[in-house]
Amino acid sequence: MQIAMKKKITKTILIVLAYIVCTGCSDVLDITPDGRMTLDDVFKNTDYTESYLNSIYEYVRKYGHGYHYYSFLSSYTDDATDSQVPQDTWMQLHQWNQGNFSSSNLPFMHGSEKERRNDRDFWGTAYGGIRKANVFLARVNESNVPNAEKRGRYIAEAKVLRAHYYFDLIKNYGGVPLIDKDIILDQDYEKIERASFDDIVQFIVKDCNEAIAEPNLPFRTKFATEQGRMTKAVAHFIKASALLFDASPLWNPDDDVRKWQAAAAAAKEAVAALESNGYELYPKYEEYFITRPDKSDHPNDRETILEAIDTWGYGGQTFRRFGTIVFLMHMIPSFPSEKSGLCPSQELVDSYEMKDGSIPILGYSDTEHLQPIINQTSGYDENKPYVDRDPRFYASVWYNGAYFGKKDSKDIYIESYVGGTHGISGIKQRSPTGYYTRKYIDPAQRSAGASTTLWRIYRMGELYLTLAEAENEANGPTAEAYAAADKTRARAGMPGLPKELTKEQFRDRIRRERRIEMALEENRFYDIRRWKIMPENSKLKTGMRWIKAEDGTLTHTRIVSVRCEPTSDEKYYVLPIPLNETMRMPLLKQNPGW
């Protein structure tokens, strides 16, 4: 059954798509009749009811570069920075690094445009989607969707969407109000309280289980018009991921092993279900991130579980699409991009293993990260630091001397040494760390509109590592934990993890594997929080400054590129709840430190 993601909505239905968050303002649909539609009108009509379901998808954030001035969330971690920081002090990232936010001046809401469409209002966007899902679930019935198969699928989709929005909320805010019905005008907001993190997770699990049990919800979408649609695979992924977060140190301070067992069981169930329905890792790691998911009975991309929708939902502004902005805002200086954008840090580079699986950099002997502790048995050569590394390093980072590709029939090699074509510098068109992003960049792309890339929200690679982590914490480094971890390593051409690791050693290796496998995606931002290692990993970011002598010899020095110590404050484990919400709902209570 093919279902279009975005139908042509008639003018009369536009009011239904209005942005209404779950808390606050009056419902514009509950008005004196004046020719506009009411909710009752909408749910008397099958087409309008289907359109209302489609409108719930409008609240799925775009992720990727959807943060202030087209920055990536990974630039808010120790994995990377943005080339505009710290020179452009108006950038939200710079203000974040300085700790200049509060509950009345919200992170990710900085700048002149603060609408949901700009992907910054995490709270309002998620609750807007939850509110619409609640309305749909309360009103869909045999009358407005008489086809039982369609109705079953639609209800399941709405539940997965609601689970997705709640998962997004708890990752950012911790426990939040649990609202499972429409907010009405006479709602007594003073009685609304926060549910616990665990309570929200159990609600997510319930929604996902019910969606998984629905026979008419497919495991995979097969048509281009169904891009970004919710499926059983998404429900499995969200369920396992939410339980993983619930078991992690930040939300499981007593290390209750039952939570880890629940996460491991859900991850095993998810992997088994998805594999039996054709999901598997894309064969080429590097290629995966410069393609887009294809839709067919036998797709090339069988790894992507949920992709972003490649529009911004307003004004037909195609220049804001993922691949277009990557080319315009995150390309090397050989092209007329506005900035070099996402620039990997030395900390990320140091985390990559050697190609034989040995760890080259064991840590740092100083607080500035300028004196690495080198594993002398790894074969790492400090004078040739980019030789014989994990293949995912070459697929993710452009470094001094790396081959880019051809432009105008000429070979381009990265010259990030001082004075080089791509030389390290303090202007936004140059990297402040000496590194440029390889991931998401197609060297063959020659114009902004020619991109074929698309942001993946959930993918199979992450699910395997969720299983490995949860299984190790629940039962130790079992064969099942090893097998899951070695899936992503084998795809990359890396050897399996060393055998006979202790539980603690396996934990360290899985955390490293997650960082490498999902480098420059959004996971690191949340992983260092749920693992409670954020303070020690949020004080600074370093880079590599290369200098080329007249005879062509190169020398290098590690440098501090960005200082961001205020973000190492423990209050940054979660974001502040908007002040107007805590004023409206006094029992909500603000997150600690905000």
Side-chain angles (χ1 to χ4, degrees):
M1 176 172 59
Q2 181 178 1
I3 304 173
M5 167 58 71
K6 293 182 183 296
K7 296 183 176 181
K8 291 184 178 179
I9 311 298
T10 63
K11 187 175 182 180
T12 54
I13 196 68
L14 289 178
I15 189 66
V16 179
L17 304 181
Y19 173 53
I20 309 166
V21 299
C22 80
T23 56
C25 60
S26 61
D27 191 335
V28 295
L29 296 171
D30 295 331
I31 55 177
T32 302
D34 61 358
R36 290 181 285 177
M37 298 187 72
T38 66
L39 279 175
D40 289 338
D41 294 328
V42 169
F43 287 99
K44 289 177 181 177
N45 180 286
T46 299
D47 288 340
Y48 291 165
T49 300
E50 291 180 352
S51 295
Y52 195 93
L53 171 67
N54 289 341
S55 75
I56 305 173
Y57 282 90
E58 295 289 338
Y59 298 82
V60 176
R61 295 196 295 111
K62 308 303 181 289
Y63 304 95
H65 49 56
Y67 305 93
H68 184 236
Y69 211 67
Y70 309 111
S71 58
F72 282 72
L73 189 60
S74 57
S75 64
Y76 293 79
T77 75
D78 54 344
D79 273 1
T81 187
D82 191 282
S83 64
Q84 286 191 264
V85 174
Q87 286 72 34
D88 287 346
T89 58
W90 56 269
M91 275 281 286
Q92 176 186 267
L93 178 57
H94 177 76
Q95 296 297 319
W96 170 275
N97 291 341
Q98 299 301 306
N100 293 339
F101 290 106
S102 66
S103 61
S104 59
N105 180 29
L106 296 167
F108 302 106
M109 287 284 281
H110 182 66
S112 59
E113 293 185 276
K114 300 179 180 179
E115 297 91 339
R116 174 180 60 82
R117 68 186 191 186
N118 287 312
D119 232 18
R120 301 180 197 167
D121 183 3
F122 291 3
W123 181 277
T125 298
Y127 271 122
I130 289 168
R131 187 261 178 179
K132 299 201 84 168
N134 289 339
V135 169
F136 180 84
L137 290 169
R139 288 176 175 262
V140 65
N141 54 47
E142 294 181 7
S143 177
N144 50 39
V145 184
N147 184 303
E149 291 184 5
K150 281 187 176 183
R151 188 170 65 253
R153 177 174 178 173
Y154 293 166
I155 290 172
E157 284 189 32
K159 289 180 178 178
V160 182
L161 278 163
R162 185 166 63 180
H164 170 84
Y165 294 133
Y166 268 120
F167 184 43
D168 209 35
L169 278 171
I170 61 174
K171 285 195 298 183
N172 286 297
Y173 300 99
V176 294
L178 178 53
I179 299 172
D180 61 356
K181 58 182 181 299
D182 189 17
I183 290 289
I184 56 179
L185 291 178
D186 59 356
Q187 175 73 46
D188 187 352
Y189 292 100
E190 292 188 356
K191 293 182 179 180
I192 294 178
E193 299 182 79
R194 296 177 75 161
S196 70
F197 193 96
D198 186 68
D199 286 342
I200 301 293
V201 168
Q202 297 311 314
F203 186 79
I204 290 171
V205 168
K206 178 177 179 293
D207 266 353
C208 290
N209 282 340
E210 291 175 359
I212 291 167
E214 169 54 54
N216 296 299
L217 182 67
F219 261 96
R220 181 193 298 281
T221 54
K222 300 180 180 180
F223 303 96
T225 53
E226 295 182 317
Q227 183 188 92
R229 204 103 195 165
M230 296 296 154
T231 62
K232 285 185 192 289
V234 177
H236 274 293
F237 183 97
I238 293 174
K239 174 184 172 182
S241 299
L243 287 167
L244 179 76
F245 272 69
D246 195 35
S248 297
L250 182 61
W251 305 112
N252 185 18
D254 297 327
D255 196 23
D256 184 349
V257 71
R258 293 172 298 180
K259 289 190 172 186
W260 285 114
Q261 291 168 344
K268 292 175 188 178
E269 178 188 16
V271 166
L274 268 65
E275 286 183 339
S276 66
N277 282 274
Y279 282 85
E280 61 184 33
L281 296 179
Y282 191 89
K284 298 180 180 179
Y285 181 85
E286 179 178 297
E287 184 179 287
Y288 178 65
F289 297 99
I290 56 174
T291 62
R292 64 191 301 117
D294 55 318
K295 301 293 183 181
S296 70
D297 288 326
H298 304 286
N300 293 319
D301 176 6
R302 301 181 182 183
E303 177 169 357
T304 300
I305 296 171
L306 179 66
E307 66 277 355
I309 302 169
D310 201 17
T311 66
W312 281 71
Y314 66 99
Q317 294 180 334
T318 57
F319 71 87
R320 294 177 185 264
R321 290 177 178 172
F322 180 73
T324 301
I325 291 297
V326 167
F327 185 84
L328 294 174
M329 298 286 181
H330 301 278
M331 183 58 97
I332 64 171
S334 295
F335 295 82
S337 54
E338 185 169 330
K339 61 177 181 176
S340 59
L342 185 64
C343 298
S345 68
Q346 187 64 48
E347 284 77 11
L348 174 62
V349 172
D350 287 344
S351 68
Y352 284 92
E353 298 173 9
M354 304 300 287
K355 69 178 183 180
D356 65 359
S358 58
I359 298 174
I361 306 297
L362 302 176
Y364 306 96
S365 61
D366 67 319
T367 58
E368 300 280 86
H369 294 184
L370 302 179
Q371 299 174 25
I373 301 171
I374 297 173
N375 178 2
Q376 300 299 331
T377 65
S378 68
Y380 175 81
D381 185 344
E382 192 173 12
N383 295 313
K384 299 177 181 179
Y386 312 129
V387 175
D388 292 338
R389 304 297 289 272
D390 182 327
R392 288 171 291 188
F393 166 67
Y394 306 109
S396 304
V397 180
W398 268 313
Y399 53 91
N400 187 63
Y403 179 64
F404 174 90
K406 289 184 179 291
K407 181 186 179 187
D408 301 328
S409 301
K410 295 181 180 179
D411 289 325
I412 297 178
Y413 290 86
I414 301 299
E415 299 176 354
S416 62
Y417 55 82
V418 176
T421 303
H422 318 100
I424 189 171
S425 178
I427 61 174
K428 65 182 180 181
Q429 291 81 13
R430 300 285 187 274
S431 170
T433 65
Y435 299 104
Y436 295 89
T437 293
R438 166 69 180 94
K439 207 172 192 178
Y440 315 119
I441 302 293
D442 183 355
Q445 186 177 349
R446 290 296 176 267
S447 66
S451 171
T452 59
T453 61
L454 188 63
W455 183 262
R456 273 76 168 187
I457 301 173
Y458 303 140
R459 63 184 182 91
M460 199 70 184
E462 180 180 348
L463 185 59
Y464 281 124
L465 297 182
T466 292
L467 171 53
E469 179 181 351
E471 173 67 7
N472 179 60
E473 297 297 340
N475 303 305
T478 63
E480 199 159 13
Y482 268 100
D486 288 346
K487 283 276 191 178
T488 56
R489 296 175 66 83
R491 186 259 297 270
M494 289 291 287
L497 289 174
K499 301 304 180 184
E500 300 182 357
L501 293 175
T502 66
K503 180 178 182 178
E504 291 72 24
Q505 290 171 332
F506 193 91
R507 177 189 299 141
D508 290 342
R509 295 301 291 258
I510 283 298
R511 290 184 177 184
R512 181 183 294 269
E513 183 67 15
R514 280 185 68 92
R515 185 176 194 178
I516 295 311
E517 171 67 22
M518 296 177 285
L520 306 176
E521 298 174 49
E522 301 206 343
N523 304 79
R524 182 72 176 171
F525 184 86
Y526 297 106
D527 282 348
I528 62 174
R529 285 163 169 76
R530 67 181 181 88
W531 292 331
K532 294 193 73 175
I533 62 170
M534 182 205 67
E536 59 265 39
N537 289 281
S538 300
K539 295 182 178 180
L540 51 80
K541 307 172 193 184
T542 59
M544 190 76 84
R545 186 174 187 266
W546 289 89
I547 296 177
K548 188 174 184 179
E550 290 185 3
D551 63 1
T553 58
L554 290 163
T555 57
H556 64 81
T557 305
R558 289 172 179 253
I559 61 169
V560 175
S561 299
V562 177
R563 295 190 182 277
C564 45
E565 189 163 357
T567 65
S568 65
D569 190 311
E570 289 191 356
K571 73 179 186 178
Y572 278 86
Y573 277 132
V574 288
L575 299 179
I577 296 172
L579 179 61
N580 64 323
E581 301 292 353
T582 56
M583 293 176 65
R584 180 184 295 116
M585 298 174 283
L587 296 181
L588 200 56
K589 296 183 181 179
Q590 185 55 263
N591 279 324
W594 294 103

